[in-house]
Amino acid sequence: MFSLKFLSVTENVLKTIHYTIFFNGEGYITLQNKLTNYSSLFILTDPQTSKLCLQHLLKYLPDLKKARIFCIPFGEKEKNIQNCLDICRQLNKENADRKSLLINLGGGVITDLGGFLASIFKRGIYFLNIPTTLLAMVDASTGGKTGINLDNMKNEIGGFNYPDLLIIDKHYLKTLPNRELKSGMAELFKYGLIADNFFWEEIKNRSKKMHWYDWNEFIYQSNFIKNNIVTEDPYERKGLRQILNFGHTIGHGIESYFLTTYSPLLHGEAIALGMVCESWISWKMNGLSQKQHEEISKTLLSIYPLREINEQILNQILKYIRQDKKKLQEDIHFSLLREIGICTYNHKVSNDIIKQSFQSLKRNNL
Ligand SMILES: NC(=O)c1ccc[n+]([C@@H]2O[C@H](COP(=O)([O-])OP(=O)(O)OC[C@H]3O[C@@H](n4cnc5c(N)ncnc54)[C@H](O)[C@@H]3O)[C@@H](O)[C@H]2O)c1
Ligand SMILES: [Zn+2]
Protein backbone atom coordinates (compact mmCIF):
# COMPACT_ATOMS: atom_id res chain seq x y z
CA MET A 1 0.00 0.00 0.00
CA PHE A 2 1.31 3.45 -0.85
CA SER A 3 -0.15 6.83 -0.11
CA LEU A 4 1.36 10.29 -0.08
CA LYS A 5 0.17 13.83 0.50
CA PHE A 6 0.36 16.41 -2.28
CA LEU A 7 3.08 18.98 -1.55
CA SER A 8 2.43 22.47 -2.83
CA VAL A 9 6.16 23.22 -2.97
CA THR A 10 7.86 23.46 -6.35
CA GLU A 11 11.60 22.84 -6.31
CA ASN A 12 14.13 23.22 -9.09
CA VAL A 13 16.13 20.08 -8.44
CA LEU A 14 15.25 16.55 -7.35
CA LYS A 15 18.09 14.22 -6.38
CA THR A 16 17.30 10.56 -6.92
CA ILE A 17 19.58 7.73 -5.77
CA HIS A 18 20.91 7.34 -9.31
CA TYR A 19 20.89 10.82 -10.89
CA THR A 20 19.70 14.40 -10.53
CA ILE A 21 16.62 15.84 -12.20
CA PHE A 22 16.79 19.54 -13.08
CA PHE A 23 13.56 21.44 -13.60
CA ASN A 24 15.11 24.64 -14.93
CA GLY A 25 18.02 26.12 -16.88
CA GLU A 26 20.50 25.08 -14.18
CA GLY A 27 20.52 21.67 -15.85
CA TYR A 28 22.02 23.14 -19.00
CA ILE A 29 24.80 24.78 -16.97
CA THR A 30 25.57 21.50 -15.20
CA LEU A 31 25.66 19.68 -18.51
CA GLN A 32 27.86 22.37 -20.07
CA ASN A 33 30.38 21.84 -17.28
CA LYS A 34 30.40 18.08 -17.84
CA LEU A 35 30.70 18.00 -21.62
CA THR A 36 34.49 17.80 -21.66
CA ASN A 37 34.29 14.52 -19.67
CA TYR A 38 32.97 12.70 -22.72
CA SER A 39 35.00 11.49 -25.70
CA SER A 40 32.29 12.22 -28.29
CA LEU A 41 28.77 13.58 -28.33
CA PHE A 42 25.63 12.26 -30.01
CA ILE A 43 22.03 13.47 -29.98
CA LEU A 44 19.08 11.20 -30.74
CA THR A 45 16.00 12.95 -32.16
CA ASP A 46 12.96 12.34 -34.33
CA PRO A 47 11.90 14.68 -37.17
CA GLN A 48 9.65 16.73 -34.86
CA THR A 49 12.16 17.22 -32.07
CA SER A 50 14.91 17.84 -34.62
CA LYS A 51 12.81 20.63 -36.11
CA LEU A 52 11.14 22.04 -32.99
CA CYS A 53 13.47 21.38 -30.04
CA LEU A 54 17.06 21.09 -31.22
CA GLN A 55 17.58 24.83 -31.88
CA HIS A 56 16.52 25.66 -28.33
CA LEU A 57 18.95 23.11 -26.90
CA LEU A 58 21.82 24.41 -29.06
CA LYS A 59 21.05 27.97 -27.95
CA TYR A 60 21.78 26.94 -24.35
CA LEU A 61 24.58 24.55 -25.20
CA PRO A 62 26.42 25.82 -28.30
CA ASP A 63 29.17 23.23 -27.68
CA LEU A 64 26.67 20.61 -28.79
CA LYS A 65 26.89 21.97 -32.34
CA LYS A 66 29.76 19.54 -32.86
CA ALA A 67 27.56 16.59 -31.79
CA ARG A 68 26.52 14.08 -34.41
CA ILE A 69 22.71 14.09 -34.74
CA PHE A 70 20.76 10.86 -35.28
CA CYS A 71 17.16 11.16 -36.39
CA ILE A 72 14.73 8.24 -36.46
CA PRO A 73 11.17 8.47 -37.84
CA PHE A 74 8.58 9.33 -35.21
CA GLY A 75 5.91 7.09 -33.71
CA GLU A 76 5.53 4.08 -31.43
CA LYS A 77 6.26 1.64 -34.26
CA GLU A 78 9.77 3.06 -34.49
CA LYS A 79 10.63 1.81 -30.99
CA ASN A 80 12.07 -1.29 -32.58
CA ILE A 81 15.23 -3.35 -32.88
CA GLN A 82 15.94 -2.20 -36.46
CA ASN A 83 16.33 1.43 -35.40
CA CYS A 84 18.37 0.33 -32.43
CA LEU A 85 20.79 -1.66 -34.59
CA ASP A 86 20.91 1.10 -37.16
CA ILE A 87 22.06 3.65 -34.57
CA CYS A 88 24.57 1.14 -33.12
CA ARG A 89 26.05 0.80 -36.61
CA GLN A 90 26.26 4.57 -36.97
CA LEU A 91 27.86 4.90 -33.54
CA ASN A 92 30.37 2.29 -34.55
CA LYS A 93 31.11 4.13 -37.80
CA GLU A 94 31.68 7.33 -35.81
CA ASN A 95 34.15 5.49 -33.55
CA ALA A 96 32.03 6.00 -30.46
CA ASP A 97 33.61 4.47 -27.38
CA ARG A 98 32.50 3.79 -23.80
CA LYS A 99 33.16 7.41 -22.84
CA SER A 100 30.75 8.72 -25.45
CA LEU A 101 27.55 10.51 -24.47
CA LEU A 102 24.16 10.02 -26.10
CA ILE A 103 21.62 12.78 -25.44
CA ASN A 104 18.03 11.64 -25.93
CA LEU A 105 16.00 14.66 -27.06
CA GLY A 106 12.40 13.65 -27.50
CA GLY A 107 9.34 11.89 -26.15
CA GLY A 108 9.12 8.46 -24.56
CA VAL A 109 9.92 6.65 -27.79
CA ILE A 110 13.29 8.42 -28.00
CA THR A 111 14.12 8.11 -24.27
CA ASP A 112 13.08 4.42 -24.12
CA LEU A 113 14.99 3.46 -27.25
CA GLY A 114 17.99 5.73 -26.61
CA GLY A 115 18.33 4.55 -23.00
CA PHE A 116 18.18 0.95 -24.13
CA LEU A 117 20.73 1.24 -26.90
CA ALA A 118 23.03 3.21 -24.58
CA SER A 119 23.04 0.13 -22.33
CA ILE A 120 23.93 -2.36 -25.04
CA PHE A 121 26.35 -0.49 -27.33
CA LYS A 122 29.84 -1.57 -26.22
CA ARG A 123 28.20 -2.84 -23.00
CA GLY A 124 27.16 0.67 -22.11
CA ILE A 125 27.86 4.29 -22.96
CA TYR A 126 26.77 7.40 -21.06
CA PHE A 127 23.37 8.88 -21.78
CA LEU A 128 21.05 11.57 -20.55
CA ASN A 129 17.44 12.49 -21.21
CA ILE A 130 15.97 15.79 -22.25
CA PRO A 131 12.26 14.92 -22.52
CA THR A 132 10.16 17.06 -24.86
CA THR A 133 6.65 15.67 -24.28
CA LEU A 134 4.59 15.93 -21.12
CA LEU A 135 4.40 12.15 -20.95
CA ALA A 136 8.18 11.79 -21.06
CA MET A 137 8.67 14.62 -18.52
CA VAL A 138 6.42 13.00 -15.95
CA ASP A 139 7.05 9.32 -16.61
CA ALA A 140 8.93 7.83 -19.56
CA SER A 141 12.28 9.59 -19.16
CA THR A 142 12.56 8.94 -15.44
CA GLY A 143 12.76 5.83 -13.26
CA GLY A 144 15.31 3.85 -15.27
CA LYS A 145 13.09 1.61 -17.40
CA THR A 146 14.25 1.49 -21.00
CA GLY A 147 13.25 -0.75 -23.86
CA ILE A 148 11.82 -1.46 -27.27
CA ASN A 149 8.82 -3.30 -28.64
CA LEU A 150 8.99 -6.78 -30.12
CA ASP A 151 6.71 -6.72 -33.16
CA ASN A 152 3.63 -5.11 -31.62
CA MET A 153 4.29 -6.33 -28.10
CA LYS A 154 5.07 -3.39 -25.88
CA ASN A 155 8.45 -3.18 -24.16
CA GLU A 156 9.22 -6.90 -24.58
CA ILE A 157 12.95 -6.19 -24.78
CA GLY A 158 14.62 -3.85 -22.35
CA GLY A 159 16.37 -3.24 -19.10
CA PHE A 160 17.04 -0.79 -16.30
CA ASN A 161 19.51 1.92 -17.20
CA TYR A 162 19.85 5.24 -15.41
CA PRO A 163 20.74 8.49 -17.18
CA ASP A 164 23.66 10.68 -16.11
CA LEU A 165 21.15 13.43 -15.53
CA LEU A 166 17.71 14.54 -16.58
CA ILE A 167 16.84 18.05 -17.76
CA ILE A 168 13.17 18.99 -17.77
CA ASP A 169 12.58 22.22 -19.67
CA LYS A 170 8.90 23.16 -19.96
CA HIS A 171 9.75 25.35 -22.96
CA TYR A 172 9.49 22.27 -25.20
CA LEU A 173 5.80 21.87 -24.36
CA LYS A 174 5.01 25.07 -26.28
CA THR A 175 4.92 23.21 -29.58
CA LEU A 176 3.37 19.98 -28.34
CA PRO A 177 -0.03 19.25 -29.94
CA ASN A 178 -3.02 19.17 -27.62
CA ARG A 179 -3.64 15.48 -28.25
CA GLU A 180 -0.10 14.70 -27.03
CA LEU A 181 -0.57 16.90 -23.94
CA LYS A 182 -3.72 14.97 -23.07
CA SER A 183 -1.86 11.72 -23.57
CA GLY A 184 0.72 12.84 -21.00
CA MET A 185 -2.04 13.95 -18.67
CA ALA A 186 -3.18 10.30 -18.42
CA GLU A 187 0.00 9.49 -16.47
CA LEU A 188 -0.74 12.45 -14.16
CA PHE A 189 -4.20 11.01 -13.48
CA LYS A 190 -2.47 7.72 -12.71
CA TYR A 191 -0.21 9.27 -10.07
CA GLY A 192 -3.24 10.80 -8.37
CA LEU A 193 -5.14 7.53 -8.45
CA ILE A 194 -2.32 5.37 -7.09
CA ALA A 195 -0.75 7.72 -4.57
CA ASP A 196 -2.48 10.98 -3.79
CA ASN A 197 -6.20 11.81 -3.82
CA PHE A 198 -5.50 15.54 -3.54
CA PHE A 199 -3.33 15.36 -6.68
CA TRP A 200 -6.22 13.54 -8.42
CA GLU A 201 -8.65 16.33 -7.44
CA GLU A 202 -6.23 19.01 -8.64
CA ILE A 203 -5.54 17.46 -12.01
CA LYS A 204 -9.21 16.62 -12.48
CA ASN A 205 -10.30 20.20 -11.80
CA ARG A 206 -7.63 21.85 -13.90
CA SER A 207 -7.42 19.38 -16.77
CA LYS A 208 -9.88 21.17 -19.05
CA LYS A 209 -8.37 24.63 -19.03
CA MET A 210 -4.66 24.01 -19.05
CA HIS A 211 -2.01 25.72 -21.11
CA TRP A 212 1.59 24.67 -21.52
CA TYR A 213 2.82 27.04 -18.79
CA ASP A 214 0.49 25.61 -16.15
CA TRP A 215 2.23 22.27 -15.75
CA ASN A 216 5.17 23.14 -13.47
CA GLU A 217 3.80 21.91 -10.20
CA PHE A 218 2.33 18.74 -11.69
CA ILE A 219 5.59 17.85 -13.40
CA TYR A 220 7.59 18.28 -10.22
CA GLN A 221 5.01 16.47 -8.13
CA SER A 222 4.80 13.44 -10.42
CA ASN A 223 8.56 13.08 -10.48
CA PHE A 224 8.49 13.32 -6.70
CA ILE A 225 5.85 10.57 -6.42
CA LYS A 226 7.54 8.31 -8.97
CA ASN A 227 10.91 8.76 -7.32
CA ASN A 228 9.50 7.76 -3.93
CA ILE A 229 8.11 4.56 -5.39
CA VAL A 230 11.18 3.74 -7.49
CA THR A 231 13.54 4.34 -4.55
CA GLU A 232 11.64 1.71 -2.54
CA ASP A 233 11.80 -0.85 -5.33
CA PRO A 234 14.25 0.21 -8.08
CA TYR A 235 14.14 -3.05 -10.06
CA GLU A 236 10.48 -4.01 -9.47
CA ARG A 237 11.54 -6.91 -7.24
CA LYS A 238 9.82 -6.19 -3.92
CA GLY A 239 6.65 -5.40 -5.75
CA LEU A 240 5.78 -1.82 -4.76
CA ARG A 241 6.91 -0.51 -8.14
CA GLN A 242 4.10 -2.53 -9.70
CA ILE A 243 1.62 0.13 -8.63
CA LEU A 244 3.07 2.31 -11.40
CA ASN A 245 1.56 -0.25 -13.79
CA PHE A 246 -1.99 0.60 -12.74
CA GLY A 247 -4.02 0.85 -15.96
CA HIS A 248 -1.13 -0.56 -17.99
CA THR A 249 -1.92 -4.29 -17.97
CA ILE A 250 -5.15 -3.77 -19.90
CA GLY A 251 -3.91 -0.47 -21.38
CA HIS A 252 -0.88 -2.09 -23.04
CA GLY A 253 -3.17 -4.79 -24.49
CA ILE A 254 -5.39 -2.08 -26.00
CA GLU A 255 -2.37 -0.10 -27.23
CA SER A 256 -0.76 -3.20 -28.78
CA TYR A 257 -3.96 -4.15 -30.61
CA PHE A 258 -4.55 -0.66 -32.04
CA LEU A 259 -0.91 -0.49 -33.16
CA THR A 260 -1.83 -3.15 -35.72
CA THR A 261 -4.60 -0.93 -37.16
CA TYR A 262 -4.54 2.21 -39.30
CA SER A 263 -5.48 4.40 -36.36
CA PRO A 264 -3.23 3.61 -33.37
CA LEU A 265 -4.03 5.12 -29.99
CA LEU A 266 -1.42 7.22 -28.21
CA HIS A 267 0.12 5.60 -25.13
CA GLY A 268 -1.78 7.82 -22.67
CA GLU A 269 -5.07 7.34 -24.52
CA ALA A 270 -4.77 3.56 -24.25
CA ILE A 271 -3.69 3.76 -20.60
CA ALA A 272 -6.69 5.97 -19.77
CA LEU A 273 -9.03 3.27 -21.12
CA GLY A 274 -6.98 0.67 -19.22
CA MET A 275 -7.45 2.68 -16.01
CA VAL A 276 -11.23 2.74 -16.51
CA CYS A 277 -11.31 -1.08 -16.88
CA GLU A 278 -8.90 -1.62 -13.99
CA SER A 279 -10.88 0.72 -11.73
CA TRP A 280 -13.95 -1.42 -12.56
CA ILE A 281 -11.97 -4.51 -11.46
CA SER A 282 -10.87 -2.57 -8.35
CA TRP A 283 -14.56 -1.97 -7.54
CA LYS A 284 -15.43 -5.66 -8.03
CA MET A 285 -12.40 -7.11 -6.27
CA ASN A 286 -10.56 -4.62 -4.09
CA GLY A 287 -13.08 -2.56 -2.17
CA LEU A 288 -13.02 0.56 -4.38
CA SER A 289 -16.45 2.17 -3.93
CA GLN A 290 -18.84 2.23 -6.86
CA LYS A 291 -19.03 6.01 -6.47
CA GLN A 292 -15.25 6.40 -6.90
CA HIS A 293 -15.20 3.97 -9.82
CA GLU A 294 -17.89 6.06 -11.52
CA GLU A 295 -16.01 9.27 -10.79
CA ILE A 296 -12.86 7.81 -12.41
CA SER A 297 -14.75 6.53 -15.48
CA LYS A 298 -16.69 9.73 -15.96
CA THR A 299 -13.58 11.90 -15.71
CA LEU A 300 -11.43 9.81 -18.05
CA LEU A 301 -14.12 9.01 -20.61
CA SER A 302 -14.98 12.70 -20.94
CA ILE A 303 -11.39 13.40 -22.02
CA TYR A 304 -10.15 10.32 -23.90
CA PRO A 305 -11.65 8.88 -27.09
CA LEU A 306 -13.44 5.56 -27.03
CA ARG A 307 -12.94 2.95 -29.71
CA GLU A 308 -15.33 0.28 -30.91
CA ILE A 309 -14.22 -2.95 -29.22
CA ASN A 310 -16.31 -5.88 -30.46
CA GLU A 311 -15.99 -9.51 -29.34
CA GLN A 312 -13.35 -10.31 -31.96
CA ILE A 313 -11.19 -7.27 -31.08
CA LEU A 314 -11.63 -8.03 -27.38
CA ASN A 315 -10.26 -11.55 -27.89
CA GLN A 316 -7.20 -10.15 -29.65
CA ILE A 317 -6.64 -7.62 -26.87
CA LEU A 318 -6.90 -10.46 -24.32
CA LYS A 319 -4.20 -12.34 -26.21
CA TYR A 320 -1.88 -9.33 -25.94
CA ILE A 321 -2.69 -8.97 -22.24
CA ARG A 322 -1.70 -12.59 -21.63
CA GLN A 323 1.56 -12.07 -23.48
CA ASP A 324 2.30 -9.03 -21.37
CA LYS A 325 5.43 -9.27 -19.26
CA LYS A 326 3.37 -9.08 -16.08
CA LYS A 327 1.90 -12.53 -16.69
CA LEU A 328 3.22 -15.11 -14.19
CA GLN A 329 2.42 -18.64 -15.36
CA GLU A 330 -1.35 -18.75 -15.86
CA ASP A 331 -2.29 -15.91 -13.53
CA ILE A 332 -2.38 -12.32 -14.55
CA HIS A 333 -1.39 -9.98 -11.76
CA PHE A 334 -2.89 -6.53 -11.43
CA SER A 335 -2.34 -3.46 -9.32
CA LEU A 336 -5.75 -2.34 -8.08
CA LEU A 337 -7.14 0.70 -6.28
CA ARG A 338 -8.55 0.37 -2.81
CA GLU A 339 -9.64 3.97 -2.87
CA ILE A 340 -8.52 6.99 -4.87
CA GLY A 341 -4.95 7.60 -3.71
CA ILE A 342 -4.34 4.07 -2.40
CA CYS A 343 -3.19 1.22 -4.63
CA THR A 344 -2.34 -2.39 -3.76
CA TYR A 345 -0.57 -4.92 -5.97
CA ASN A 346 -0.26 -8.60 -6.83
CA HIS A 347 -3.95 -9.33 -7.36
CA LYS A 348 -4.72 -12.38 -9.48
CA VAL A 349 -7.54 -11.60 -11.88
CA SER A 350 -9.40 -14.17 -13.98
CA ASN A 351 -9.94 -13.93 -17.71
CA ASP A 352 -13.68 -13.59 -17.16
CA ILE A 353 -13.35 -10.55 -14.92
CA ILE A 354 -10.89 -8.93 -17.34
CA LYS A 355 -13.38 -9.51 -20.15
CA GLN A 356 -16.30 -8.12 -18.14
CA SER A 357 -14.34 -5.00 -17.24
CA PHE A 358 -14.57 -3.86 -20.88
CA GLN A 359 -18.29 -3.21 -20.23
CA SER A 360 -17.18 -0.12 -18.38
CA LEU A 361 -15.87 1.36 -21.65
CA LYS A 362 -19.29 2.63 -22.66
CA ARG A 363 -20.26 6.22 -22.05
CA ASN A 364 -23.93 5.32 -21.57
CA ASN A 365 -22.96 3.09 -18.64
CA LEU A 366 -22.33 6.19 -16.57
N1 LIG B 1 10.22 3.90 -19.55
C1 LIG B 1 9.13 4.21 -18.88
O1 LIG B 1 9.09 4.16 -17.64
C2 LIG B 1 7.91 4.65 -19.63
C3 LIG B 1 6.83 5.20 -18.94
C4 LIG B 1 5.73 5.66 -19.67
C5 LIG B 1 5.72 5.56 -21.06
N2 LIG B 1 6.79 5.01 -21.71
C6 LIG B 1 6.82 4.92 -23.18
O2 LIG B 1 6.80 6.24 -23.73
C7 LIG B 1 6.27 6.17 -25.05
C8 LIG B 1 5.29 7.30 -25.28
O3 LIG B 1 5.96 8.52 -25.11
P1 LIG B 1 5.41 9.88 -25.79
O4 LIG B 1 3.97 10.01 -25.50
O5 LIG B 1 6.32 10.95 -25.38
O6 LIG B 1 5.49 9.54 -27.35
P2 LIG B 1 6.50 9.95 -28.52
O7 LIG B 1 7.90 9.86 -28.11
O8 LIG B 1 6.04 9.15 -29.68
O9 LIG B 1 6.14 11.48 -28.79
C9 LIG B 1 4.87 11.84 -29.22
C10 LIG B 1 4.89 12.70 -30.49
O10 LIG B 1 5.23 14.03 -30.15
C11 LIG B 1 6.27 14.52 -30.99
N3 LIG B 1 7.00 15.51 -30.20
C12 LIG B 1 7.90 15.25 -29.22
N4 LIG B 1 8.24 16.39 -28.62
C13 LIG B 1 7.59 17.38 -29.25
C14 LIG B 1 7.53 18.79 -29.06
N5 LIG B 1 8.18 19.39 -28.07
N6 LIG B 1 6.74 19.52 -29.89
C15 LIG B 1 6.01 18.90 -30.86
N7 LIG B 1 6.01 17.58 -31.07
C16 LIG B 1 6.79 16.83 -30.26
C17 LIG B 1 7.03 13.30 -31.40
O11 LIG B 1 7.69 13.51 -32.61
C18 LIG B 1 5.92 12.26 -31.54
O12 LIG B 1 5.33 12.35 -32.80
C19 LIG B 1 5.64 4.80 -25.19
O13 LIG B 1 6.46 4.00 -25.99
C20 LIG B 1 5.60 4.26 -23.78
O14 LIG B 1 5.67 2.86 -23.73
C21 LIG B 1 7.87 4.56 -21.01
ZN1 LIG C 1 2.59 4.65 -19.18
Side-chain angles (χ1 to χ4, degrees):
M1 207 189 307
F2 186 85
S3 185
L4 192 105
K5 283 281 148 282
F6 189 88
L7 300 170
S8 57
V9 39
T10 305
E11 303 280 351
N12 289 327
V13 173
L14 183 66
K15 281 194 187 336
T16 78
I17 45 173
H18 292 102
Y19 56 94
T20 302
I21 307 175
F22 291 94
F23 296 90
N24 65 1
E26 213 183 303
Y28 293 125
I29 299 168
T30 306
L31 177 55
Q32 174 67 39
N33 294 335
K34 279 167 76 90
L35 282 181
T36 49
N37 297 346
Y38 305 107
S39 58
S40 47
L41 304 169
F42 301 92
I43 304 177
L44 180 61
T45 63
D46 69 21
Q48 294 295 85
T49 62
S50 210
K51 189 168 102 193
L52 301 167
C53 309
L54 191 56
Q55 280 314 314
H56 179 77
L57 176 64
L58 295 180
K59 195 172 88 192
Y60 279 92
L61 289 166
D63 285 359
L64 286 180
K65 283 187 182 141
K66 58 177 185 256
R68 168 88 160 82
I69 315 286
F70 300 133
C71 186
I72 61 165
F74 61 77
E76 182 65 31
K77 285 196 168 159
E78 302 300 328
K79 211 172 92 173
N80 61 36
I81 194 74
Q82 286 77 18
N83 280 323
C84 207
L85 294 177
D86 196 37
I87 298 159
C88 287
R89 283 190 194 101
Q90 294 188 58
L91 283 168
N92 175 274
K93 220 162 130 193
E94 299 284 334
N95 296 318
D97 61 22
R98 299 197 65 213
K99 283 191 161 180
S100 299
L101 172 72
L102 177 69
I103 298 175
N104 298 320
L105 179 70
V109 166
I110 294 293
T111 58
D112 269 9
L113 184 139
F116 175 65
L117 83 88
S119 69
I120 56 169
F121 183 75
K122 292 200 189 287
R123 297 203 178 94
I125 61 172
Y126 295 104
F127 82 104
L128 60 88
N129 289 334
I130 306 184
T132 61
T133 63
L134 180 63
L135 193 136
M137 290 180 189
V138 301
D139 199 359
S141 71
T142 178
K145 276 191 179 176
T146 69
I148 52 173
N149 303 331
L150 177 63
D151 306 323
N152 290 312
M153 278 174 285
K154 292 275 304 174
N155 308 329
E156 276 288 289
I157 301 171
F160 290 88
N161 193 17
Y162 293 92
D164 255 24
L165 55 93
L166 182 57
I167 299 175
I168 297 183
D169 181 349
K170 273 82 65 182
H171 172 90
Y172 297 117
L173 297 181
K174 275 186 182 178
T175 54
L176 196 67
N178 213 28
R179 186 177 170 200
E180 297 290 347
L181 274 173
K182 280 189 184 170
S183 173
M185 217 160 67
E187 303 283 6
L188 295 180
F189 281 120
K190 179 190 77 180
Y191 289 121
L193 290 174
I194 62 172
D196 191 329
N197 58 358
F198 189 72
F199 187 95
W200 161 260
E201 285 298 324
E202 286 283 297
I203 186 74
K204 193 178 75 175
N205 294 336
R206 287 167 60 182
S207 58
K208 287 190 184 121
K209 41 182 180 342
M210 277 203 150
H211 302 290
W212 67 271
Y213 46 80
D214 285 332
W215 298 99
N216 287 9
E217 213 160 314
F218 290 101
I219 293 173
Y220 178 82
Q221 201 67 31
S222 7
N223 275 281
F224 184 81
I225 294 173
K226 182 161 183 179
N227 183 45
N228 272 294
I229 297 167
V230 169
T231 307
E232 282 271 307
D233 182 19
Y235 298 101
E236 210 168 299
R237 297 253 158 79
K238 287 188 228 158
L240 177 68
R241 192 172 174 153
Q242 288 174 46
I243 67 172
L244 290 167
N245 296 329
F246 174 68
H248 284 63
T249 306
I250 291 181
H252 274 163
I254 295 174
E255 187 181 5
S256 294
Y257 169 76
F258 282 101
L259 268 178
T260 65
T261 70
Y262 288 109
S263 50
L265 285 169
L266 299 181
H267 177 72
E269 293 171 342
I271 277 7
L273 300 184
M275 287 193 287
V276 173
C277 293
E278 293 184 21
S279 96
W280 185 90
I281 300 174
S282 303
W283 164 37
K284 294 293 168 188
M285 291 182 57
N286 203 34
L288 180 73
S289 69
Q290 181 174 2
K291 190 166 164 270
Q292 288 205 329
H293 160 61
E294 284 174 1
E295 178 187 329
I296 295 165
S297 307
K298 210 176 194 157
T299 305
L300 297 178
L301 294 182
S302 69
I303 297 174
Y304 297 96
L306 270 176
R307 287 288 167 90
E308 153 99 39
I309 298 179
N310 59 28
E311 186 72 15
Q312 195 194 357
I313 296 175
L314 179 54
N315 285 332
Q316 301 223 41
I317 292 175
L318 288 172
K319 245 198 216 155
Y320 280 115
I321 294 173
R322 294 205 77 78
Q323 283 165 347
D324 190 273
K325 65 191 178 308
K326 287 171 279 296
K327 177 191 145 184
L328 290 178
Q329 287 137 17
E330 285 316 300
D331 297 321
I332 299 185
H333 288 72
F334 279 74
S335 299
L336 297 175
L337 302 177
R338 180 162 297 162
E339 58 184 71
I340 292 176
I342 297 182
C343 188
T344 54
Y345 51 90
N346 247 342
H347 298 277
K348 290 179 198 168
V349 179
S350 71
N351 228 23
D352 263 5
I353 294 276
I354 300 174
K355 229 172 162 174
Q356 283 174 42
S357 75
F358 279 75
Q359 290 301 317
S360 59
L361 292 185
K362 292 196 169 69
R363 281 207 176 83
N364 56 9
N365 268 358
L366 299 174

